[in-house]
C-alpha cells in the first residue's frame, strides 16, 4: 500500500506542476496485481453471506477468566471509525497520555481505496450489514421486508464504504441542537471544528467558511461526465441556484465535494490514523470487538472494557476515561449490555441495571427512495475495458475509477412541512451507473422478483439514478437487544414513514416529483435520457408515472441510508430522554463519554461523515481542556 501511495503522490506532484509526461514504468507492475486485488474483492462481494446472529457463545467463565492487559491506559477509545480515528489522533498529540484504540474491523486494502468500488464494499466484511425488523410501509421489495443498514466495519468506519460525499449539514440544524439546552453546539460553535478538519481543494473557495491545511482532504470528483453540466443547467431552468452546499447557502444545486485525494478514497483512517500510528503513546488494535464497559456498581465509575480479540477475551483498564465512538448502533448496544439503558430493557435480559437512561429510544435513520432511474436512448454507450480503466487510474490518477459516480447534489425544500422555507427537507443525488446485476444488490437483500421487474431491463444499459433522500424524518425508531450475546446483532426498528401526520411520506413523494420535474427541463433533455418506465413488482397493476404509482413504489423502494443517529441523544439533566450532556458525558456515570452520531438530538441535513468527524474534533478539544486544566 505504501508503494501505491508513493506512486499516487508522485503522480499528483506531476499534475500539480502541469507536467505533460511522466515515466510511468513504475506503475506497470502494479496493474496486474491491482487487477487481481479488485477481482478478489468482486468475487467476495458476489459470494459473501452474512449471518444476522452467531452460533458463537461466550460462556460466563470465559468472561471471568479474561486476560488482563498489563498496560494501564489513560484513555480507551471504543471504535476506530469516523469519529474514533479523529479522537485517537488528537488525544495522542499529548505525549504523556497512553491511548488504546479498539476497532472490531480490519484495515483498508488497495481495492477499498478505489472510489468506484464503494458499492462492492457493502457486500463484504467491511460492512456490518445490520438489518431492520420487517417493515410495513417501506422495504417491501427486500427479502422478508427487512432492509440492510450499511455501517463500516474497519479502521475508518463508514468512511471506508460510503460514497465519499462530504456534507456538514445546515446551520439551522446546529442552532436547533443548541436551543434544546445544549450550550456550545450552535453553528458558530461547531464551524471552527469543521474548518479544522478540512484540507479543501475546490473552487470557489470561501476562506471564511473553508480551510486548507487540515488532515481531511476534500475535492470535487476527478471524473465527471457531461451530466454534471446539464444538471446545473436544469436546476437553473427551475430557478435553483448553483451553490457551495457546505458554504454560505445550502439550498440549491452543486457538484459534490468528496473525501478523496488525487482520485483515491481518503477515509478518516487515511486522514487521521496513518499519520499518527507510529506514535509510541498510541496503540491501535484492529479486529478487537468491545463486549461491555466495566463499571463499578457502587461508585458508577468506569474502570475499563472487555473486548474479544483472536478468540480470547481481554480486559483493558483506563485511568482517565473510556470514550464510546462505535457508531449509533454499536454504541447503543454496548451501553445496553453494560447496564446503561431503559430499566425494562435491562430487566428483560437479566442485565444488572447501572443507570436508567433512554438508550436506543430516539433512533433516527435517513430513508432514501431508489426507484427513479433514467436510461440512455442508445442501446449501448462506448466504454473502456477494465484493463484500460486500471491503467488510467494507476498511471494517471484519472478516469471513472476515481469517482463514486455522483454527478450532482441538490438540497431542496418541497414546502410540505410549511416550516423554514430555506431549510432543505430533501436531498437529491444524481448518480451515473451502468450494467446493473442482481449481485450488486446482494448487500440490501432485494428479492429476485423485484429486481427482475425494475432493474433487469437495464442490464445492457448505462443509466442515471436519482436518489431522493428525506433529510429530517419525523418518524423515530428504536434499538433493542436481541440477546445478551454481545456478538449478536441488535433489534433495529426504524419505523420508516410511520409519523402520524404522514409528513415523511408526503415529503418523499414531493421530492420524487421535484426530481421528475428536473428531468423534464430542456437542459436535461440534452442528455438523451428517458425515464425507466418498468414498474416495480407489486405496483405493476397501476399506471406507471401516476401519483398512485409513486405512492405505491415508495413502500417498496424506500430503504435506509448509512446515516444513523440519536440512540444516545444529548440533552441537559432536565431532559428525561437525554443520555449524554453537552460535554458528551453519560448522565450519572463517571469517566464515560460518547462521541459519535449517537449523541445527535436533531436530524442533520445531509450525510453524517463530516458531522461525526466534527464531533471527534470537538470531543478531543473538550477532553484535552478538561484533563489539562482541572487535573
Amino acid at each position: 500500500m505504501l508503494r501505491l501511495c508513493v506512486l499516487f503522490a508522485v503522480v499528483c506532484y506531476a499534475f500539480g506542476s502541469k507536467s505533460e509526461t511522466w515515466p510511468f514504468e513504475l506503475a506497470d507492475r502494479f496493474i496486474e496485481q491491482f487487477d487481481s486485488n479488485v477481482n478478489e474483492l468482486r468475487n467476495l462481494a458476489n459470494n459473501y453471506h452474512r449471518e444476522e446472529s452467531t452460533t458463537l457463545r461466550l460462556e460466563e467463565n470465559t468472561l471471568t477468566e479474561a486476560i488482563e492487559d498489563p498496560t494501564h491506559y489513560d484513555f480507551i477509545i471504543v471504535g476506530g471509525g469516523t469519529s474514533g480515528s479523529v479522537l485517537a489522533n488528537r488525544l495522542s498529540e499529548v505525549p504523556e497520555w497512553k491511548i488504546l484504540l479498539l476497532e472490531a474491523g480490519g484495515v483498508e486494502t488497495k481495492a477499498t481505496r478505489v472510489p468506484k468500488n464503494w458499492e462492492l464494499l457493502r457486500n463484504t466484511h467491511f460492512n456490518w450489514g445490520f438489518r431492520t425488523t420487517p417493515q410495513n410501509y417501506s422495504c417491501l421489495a427486500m427479502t422478508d421486508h427487512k432492509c440492510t443498514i450499511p455501517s463500516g466495519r474497519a479502521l475508518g468506519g463508514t468512511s471506508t464504504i460510503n460514497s465519499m460525499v462530504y456534507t456538514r449539514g445546515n446551520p439551522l440544524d446546529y442552532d436547533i441542537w443548541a436551543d434544546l439546552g445544549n450550550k456550545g453546539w450552535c453553528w458558530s460553535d461547531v464551524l471552527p471544528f469543521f474548518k479544522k478538519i478540512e484540507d479543501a481543494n475546490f473552487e470557489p473557495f470561501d476562506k471564511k467558511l473553508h480551510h486548507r491545511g487540515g488532515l481531511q482532504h476534500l475535492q470535487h470528483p476527478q471524473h465527471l461526465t457531461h451530466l454534471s453540466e446539464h444538471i446545473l443547467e436544469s436546476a437553473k431552468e427551475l430557478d435553483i441556484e448553483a451553490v457551495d452546499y457546505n458554504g454560505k447557502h445550502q439550498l440549491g444545486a452543486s457538484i459534490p465535494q468528496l473525501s478523496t485525494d488525487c482520485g483515491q478514497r481518503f477515509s478518516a483512517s487515511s486522514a487521521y490514523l496513518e499519520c499518527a500510528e507510529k506514535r509510541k503513546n498510541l496503540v491501535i488494535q484492529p479486529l478487537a470487538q468491545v463486549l461491555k464497559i466495566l463499571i463499578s456498581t457502587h461508585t458508577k465509575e468506569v474502570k475499563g472494557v472487555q473486548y474479544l480479540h483472536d478468540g480470547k477475551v481481554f480486559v483493558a483498564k483506563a485511568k482517565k476515561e473510556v470514550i464510546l465512538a462505535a457508531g449509533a448502533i454499536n454504541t447503543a448496544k454496548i451501553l445496553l449490555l453494560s447496564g446503561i439503558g431503559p430499566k425494562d430493557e435491562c430487566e428483560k435480559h437479566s442485565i444488572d441495571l447501572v443507570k436508567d437512561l433512554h438508550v436506543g429510544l430516539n433512533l433516527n435513520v435517513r430513508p432514501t427512495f431508489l426507484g427513479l432511474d433514467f436510461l440512455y436512448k442508445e442501446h449501448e454507450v462506448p466504454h473502456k475495458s477494465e484493463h484500460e480503466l486500471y491503467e488510467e487510474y494507476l498511471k494517471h490518477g484519472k478516469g471513472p475509477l476515481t469517482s463514486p459516480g455522483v454527478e450532482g447534489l441538490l438540497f431542496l425544500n418541497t414546502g410540505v412541512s410549511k416550516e423554514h422555507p430555506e431549510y432543505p427537507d430533501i436531498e437529491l443525488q444524481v448518480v451515473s451507473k451502468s450494467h446493473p446485476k442482481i449481485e450488486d444488490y446482494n448487500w440490501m437483500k432485494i428479492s429476485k422478483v423485484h429486481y427482475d421487474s425494475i432493474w433487469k431491463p437495464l442490464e445492457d444499459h448505462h443509466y442515471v439514478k436519482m436518489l431522493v433522500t428525506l433529510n429530517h424524518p419525523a418518524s423515530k425508531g428504536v434499538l433493542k437487544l436481541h440477546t445478551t450475546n454481545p456478538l449478536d446483532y441488535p433489534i433495529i426498528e426504524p419505523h420508516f414513514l410511520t409519523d402520524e401526520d404522514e409528513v415523511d411520506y408526503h415529503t418523499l413523494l414531493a421530492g420524487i416529483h421535484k426530481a421528475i420535474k428536473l428531468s423534464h427541463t430542456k437542459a436535461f433533455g440534452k442528455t438523451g435520457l428517458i425515464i425507466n418506465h418498468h414498474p416495480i413488482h407489486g405496483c405493476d397493476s397501476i399506471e406507471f408515472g401516476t401519483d398512485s404509482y409513486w405512492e405505491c413504489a415508495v413502500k417498496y423502494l424506500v430503504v435506509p441510508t448509512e446515516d444513523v443517529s440519536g440512540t444516545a441523544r444529548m440533552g441537559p439533566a432536565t431532559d428525561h430522554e437525554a443520555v449524554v450532556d453537552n460535554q458528551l458525558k453519560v448522565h450519572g456515570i463517571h469517566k464515560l463519554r460518547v462521541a459519535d452520531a449517537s449523541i445527535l438530538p436533531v436530524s442533520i441535513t445531509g450525510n453524517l461523515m463530516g458531522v461525526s468527524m466534527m464531533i471527534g474534533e470537538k470531543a478531543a478539544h473538550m477532553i484535552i481542556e478538561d484533563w489539562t486544566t482541572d487535573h
Side-chain angles (χ1 to χ4, degrees), residues 297-360:
T297 306
H298 300 293
T299 64
K300 310 293 185 186
E301 182 174 291
V302 168
K303 300 298 184 183
V305 299
Q306 282 183 339
Y307 68 94
L308 182 68
H309 175 67
D310 198 24
K312 299 175 183 177
V313 175
F314 294 84
V315 168
K317 298 289 183 66
K319 290 186 287 186
K320 289 183 170 64
E321 292 185 22
V322 169
I323 308 157
L324 273 174
I329 294 175
N330 277 319
T331 284
K333 189 183 83 167
I334 293 168
L335 286 170
L336 290 168
L337 288 169
S338 306
I340 301 173
K343 181 179 179 181
D344 56 351
E345 179 71 0
C346 291
E347 288 178 348
K348 175 183 174 182
H349 294 282
S350 300
I351 296 171
D352 292 335
L353 181 68
V354 177
K355 183 65 177 178
D356 184 5
L357 293 173
H358 276 55
V359 173

Side-chain angles (χ1 to χ4, degrees), residues 497-538:
L497 310 181
T498 59
D499 59 303
E500 187 175 348
D501 296 329
E502 297 188 337
V503 172
D504 289 352
Y505 183 65
H506 291 294
T507 303
L508 266 177
L509 288 172
I512 293 169
H513 287 297
K514 288 269 189 184
I516 293 172
K517 188 175 181 180
L518 188 76
S519 75
H520 288 162
T521 58
K522 291 180 181 178
F524 195 89
K526 295 176 186 177
T527 63
L529 287 161
I530 56 174
I531 196 166
N532 173 29
H533 63 275
H534 295 91
I536 185 73
H537 176 73

Side-chain angles (χ1 to χ4, degrees), residues 23 109 126 140 235 253 289 305 315 327 400 403 512 569 574 591 612 630:
T109 69
F126 291 106
L140 300 189
Q289 183 171 346
V305 299
V315 168
S403 170
I512 293 169
R569 62 170 284 176
T574 53
K591 298 186 178 181
S612 297
D630 298 335

Side-chain angles (χ1 to χ4, degrees), residues 63-281:
L63 297 176
T64 56
E65 295 173 6
I67 302 168
E68 185 160 342
D69 188 331
T71 304
H72 278 219
Y73 300 94
D74 291 287
F75 297 93
I76 298 174
I77 302 167
V78 179
T82 312
S83 176
S85 296
V86 178
L87 278 160
N89 179 296
R90 295 306 187 194
L91 294 184
S92 63
E93 288 178 338
V94 182
E96 59 267 30
W97 287 349
K98 188 76 171 179
I99 314 297
L100 174 63
L101 177 66
L102 298 170
E103 166 55 43
V107 298
E108 296 174 275
T109 69
K110 294 175 185 177
T112 68
R113 301 279 180 117
V114 182
K116 197 66 175 179
N117 286 346
W118 71 278
E119 289 181 296
L120 277 178
L121 294 171
R122 296 192 169 198
N123 201 53
T124 68
H125 58 276
F126 291 106
N127 181 11
W128 282 94
F130 297 113
R131 296 193 75 197
T132 69
T133 55
Q135 299 297 291
N136 296 321
Y137 303 99
S138 63
C139 304
L140 300 189
M142 309 304 148
T143 303
D144 300 325
H145 300 174
K146 296 180 179 180
C147 270
T148 303
I149 301 177
S151 181
R153 186 177 188 173
L155 288 170
T158 302
S159 71
T160 65
I161 67 168
N162 66 0
S163 64
M164 291 148 282
V165 174
Y166 178 89
T167 59
R168 291 172 167 178
N170 191 285
L172 187 56
D173 298 334
Y174 301 93
D175 291 342
I176 295 172
W177 180 345
D179 285 346
L180 293 173
N182 300 301
K183 184 180 178 181
W185 292 90
C186 69
W187 176 242
S188 61
D189 294 320
V190 302
L191 178 58
F193 295 100
F194 276 118
K195 291 178 69 175
K196 185 178 182 180
I197 290 166
E198 291 186 350
D199 181 25
N201 296 284
F202 43 76
E203 299 294 342
F205 181 85
D206 186 341
K207 65 181 181 181
K208 292 182 180 179
L209 295 170
H210 290 292
H211 175 63
R212 288 194 175 107
L215 294 179
Q216 180 63 60
H217 296 298
L218 301 173
Q219 61 183 188
H220 288 308
Q222 299 299 284
H223 176 83
L224 291 170
T225 71
H226 65 286
L227 277 171
S228 292
E229 180 181 343
H230 290 309
I231 290 164
L232 295 180
E233 289 179 6
S234 299
K236 188 176 181 180
E237 279 188 50
L238 300 176
D239 295 323
I240 298 172
E241 184 182 358
V243 298
D244 167 8
Y245 63 87
N246 284 324
K248 189 174 182 180
H249 301 291
Q250 188 183 33
L251 204 66
S254 311
I255 300 299
Q257 298 168 16
L258 304 180
S259 55
T260 60
D261 181 34
C262 201
Q264 285 193 103
R265 176 189 290 276
F266 204 74
S267 69
S269 174
S270 305
Y272 283 87
L273 292 184
E274 288 184 3
C275 59
E277 61 185 357
K278 291 185 179 180
R279 293 175 185 164
K280 293 181 180 179
N281 66 329

